[in-house]
């Protein structure tokens, strides 16, 4: 054995990383499905709340609204998609049916739909227009279909499960590929004073049958989970795994704090999705035109959702014309520009990395360059490593990504920079997951050291990126 190998072995024994609680073997780790991995990459998408509430100025319609009310004067789904693209969104989800029961498509299982409205003489279909526009603009398409229905006469009886299954099937089979199906947790008695016992197992099977790549959102997934608030943020510590035993949807869901963090050793891969509206309400209200979130507020939300390993679904409600209001589109364009400015030039791309002798140093020597290849599908085993920017540069943002096909592993890390002959700690974090955006006061340095401090199995990272301050 060569002397250097003996040294490496010794070093790895001395500095081996503390592992988090069980499980230790990577075989035991819960891993995402291929569809969930694609969902993680979708990262940020828009939510459209649109329907009778847009015209009545309500948030929760009663289900008794006349169909005549629904009559957008200039619906333009291409404009919605242009706004989404400008903001950097990769998909959209629309309220096909909200709690008032009105269907934005001419469902065969309801008489409370666009078909009964004056819009396009009852020949319109909002889902058709939007799904077609999404394909033209390269956006993924998803649907919200409220289980709670304040209109349907069968609500509260077993027959309503047939109605829901049939309307869901119309959506799953009629509008091309869906990337997400959204089940909100709100629920109450129906028009007949009865509460519904939902057959969610049946609905899940339909999604699996017709749209195997669609991710189901709810308090307990199974595809992804609510993040436990409607502010669009998740906890700094965010595990993609969750224990669902004993929990249901809505009022019987896991506690908000658990949804915010996940469970470190949870039994199922159910990552967090953060929902928030660009305005105070989910639906369009003219009196909220001057309460649209600013690009900086949206950026802060992005850092606390996508930057903490979650996905972000940002609601932008179309107005009574059926268009995105200029205030909202201006804010989104500003947000998109900001993302571009901050993440436009990765100072780490193609730069050299060397391992620090912590953890297992042998594998990283071969593959560490894959952390700076700008490709999140290549990866390296990592303990601690030093990134050399070649020259002193000023920066205030570091992005780390974990290689998720092998599960989520890292529970803590630290960032140091080499200054005046010594390492200086500039940031510390907990979980990484799909993406961690680390922000700190601007520093000027040539060498950056990232150290994994806690991990459930060998740490596997796929990217490390560095960005200069604005
Ligand atoms: C909730 C609903 O009650 C709200 O109206 C909104 O749709 C929000 C996204 O989900 O459960």
């Amino acid at each position: 054995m060569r002397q250097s190998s003996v040294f490496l072995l010794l070093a790895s024994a001395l500095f081996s990383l503390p592992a988090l609680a069980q499980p230790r073997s990577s075989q035991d780790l819960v891993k995402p499905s291929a569809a969930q991995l694609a969902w993680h990459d979708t990262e940020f998408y828009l939510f459209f709340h649109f329907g009778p509430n847009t015209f009545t100025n309500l948030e929760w319609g009663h289900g008794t609204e006349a169909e005549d009310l629904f009559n957008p004067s200039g619906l333009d789904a291409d404009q919605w998609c242009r706004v989404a693209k400008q903001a950097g969104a990769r998909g959209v989800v629309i309220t096909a049916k909200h709690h008032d029961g009105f269907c934005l498509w001419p469902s065969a299982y309801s008489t409370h739909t666009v078909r009964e409205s004056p819009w396009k003489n009852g020949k319109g279909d909002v889902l058709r227009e939007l799904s077609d526009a999404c394909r033209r603009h390269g956006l993924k398409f998803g649907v919200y279909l409220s289980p709670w229905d304040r209109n349907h006469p069968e609500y509260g009886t077993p027959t309503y499960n047939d109605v829901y299954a049939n309307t869901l099937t119309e959506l799953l089979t009629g509008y091309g590929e869906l990337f997400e199906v959204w089940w909100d947790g709100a629920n109450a008695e129906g028009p007949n004073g009865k509460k519904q016992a939902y057959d969610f197992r049946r609905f899940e099977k339909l999604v699996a049958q017709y749209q195997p790549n669609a991710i189901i959102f709810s308090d307990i997934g199974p595809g992804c989970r609510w993040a436990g608030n409607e502010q669009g943020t998740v906890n700094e510590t965010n595990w993609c795994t969750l224990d669902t035993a004993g929990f249901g949807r809505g009022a019987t869901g896991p506690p908000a704090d658990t949804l915010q963090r996940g469970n470190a050793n949870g039994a199922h891969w159910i990552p967090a999705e953060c929902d928030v509206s660009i305005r105070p309400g989910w639906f369009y209200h003219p009196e909220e035109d001057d309460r649209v979130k600013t690009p900086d507020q949206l950026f802060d939300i992005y850092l606390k959702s996508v930057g903490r390993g979650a996905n972000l679904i940002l609601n932008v409600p179309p107005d009574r014309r059926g268009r995105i209001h200029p205030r909202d589109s201006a804010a989104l364009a500003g947000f998109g520009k900001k993302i571009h400015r901050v993440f436009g030039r990765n100072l780490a791309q193609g730069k050299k990395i060397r391992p620090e002798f912590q953890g297992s140093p042998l594998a990283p020597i071969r593959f560490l360059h894959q952390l700076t290849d700008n490709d999140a599908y290549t990866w390296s085993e990592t303990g601690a490593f030093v990134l050399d920017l070649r020259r002193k540069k000023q920066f205030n943002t570091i992005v780390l990504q974990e290689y998720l096909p092998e599960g989520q592993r890292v529970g803590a890390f630290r960032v140091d920079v080499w200054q005046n002959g010594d390492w200086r700690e500039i940031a510390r974090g907990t979980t990484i997951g799909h993406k961690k955006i680390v922000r700190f006061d601007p520093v000027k340095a040539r060498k950056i050291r990232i150290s994994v401090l806690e991990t459930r199995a060998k740490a596997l990272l796929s990217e490390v990126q560095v960005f200069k301050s604005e």
Side-chain angles (χ1 to χ4, degrees), residues 248-317:
R249 297 183 167 91
T252 56
D257 187 56
T258 305
L259 293 169
Q260 277 276 299
R261 297 162 182 269
N263 300 111
N265 292 309
H268 309 282
W269 190 274
I270 308 180
E273 178 179 295
C274 301
D275 64 329
V276 65
S277 185
I278 196 167
R279 291 159 171 256
W282 292 100
F283 284 88
Y284 177 80
H285 308 294
E287 66 273 21
E288 291 180 353
D289 284 350
D290 55 3
R291 297 181 67 193
V292 174
K293 291 185 175 66
T294 63
D296 282 346
Q297 286 172 314
L298 296 175
F299 186 67
D300 187 56
I301 288 170
Y302 179 85
L303 294 177
K304 291 173 177 156
S305 53
V306 174
R308 292 176 175 176
N311 276 10
L312 171 62
I313 181 163
L314 172 64
N315 182 63
V316 183

Side-chain angles (χ1 to χ4, degrees), residues 28-31 240-245 263-270:
D28 297 342
L29 289 177
V30 176
K31 292 167 190 168
C240 293
T241 42
L242 187 73
D243 288 320
T244 56
N263 300 111
N265 292 309
H268 309 282
W269 190 274
I270 308 180

Side-chain angles (χ1 to χ4, degrees), residues 47 49 59-60 95 98-99 144 148 182 184-186 230 275 282-283:
F47 211 173
H49 274 66
E59 276 292 306
W60 279 7
T95 52
H98 202 250
H99 311 326
Y144 169 121
W148 183 28
W182 227 86
D184 65 279
E230 292 183 337
D275 64 329
W282 292 100
F283 284 88

Side-chain angles (χ1 to χ4, degrees), residues 289-360:
D289 284 350
D290 55 3
R291 297 181 67 193
V292 174
K293 291 185 175 66
T294 63
D296 282 346
Q297 286 172 314
L298 296 175
F299 186 67
D300 187 56
I301 288 170
Y302 179 85
L303 294 177
K304 291 173 177 156
S305 53
V306 174
R308 292 176 175 176
N311 276 10
L312 171 62
I313 181 163
L314 172 64
N315 182 63
V316 183
D319 63 17
R320 290 173 190 170
R321 299 168 304 162
R323 288 171 193 241
I324 308 295
H325 191 275
R327 292 273 174 94
D328 306 57
S329 53
L332 284 164
F335 167 68
K337 271 195 200 130
K338 174 136 189 159
I339 294 275
H340 212 74
R341 271 204 313 274
V342 175
F343 301 104
R345 207 166 83 82
N346 172 13
L347 302 175
Q349 187 169 354
K351 298 294 187 322
K352 287 237 157 51
I353 292 188
R354 66 168 171 80
E356 281 272 271
F357 296 123
Q358 296 183 26
S360 164

Side-chain angles (χ1 to χ4, degrees), residues 11 42 64 68 77 82 84 93 111 127 169 210 273 337-338 359 383-384 437 444 454:
T42 311
T64 49
D68 285 3
R82 280 197 301 275
V93 176
T111 53
L127 303 192
T169 304
Y210 293 116
E273 178 179 295
K337 271 195 200 130
K338 174 136 189 159
I437 304 177
K444 201 163 184 188
E454 280 176 32

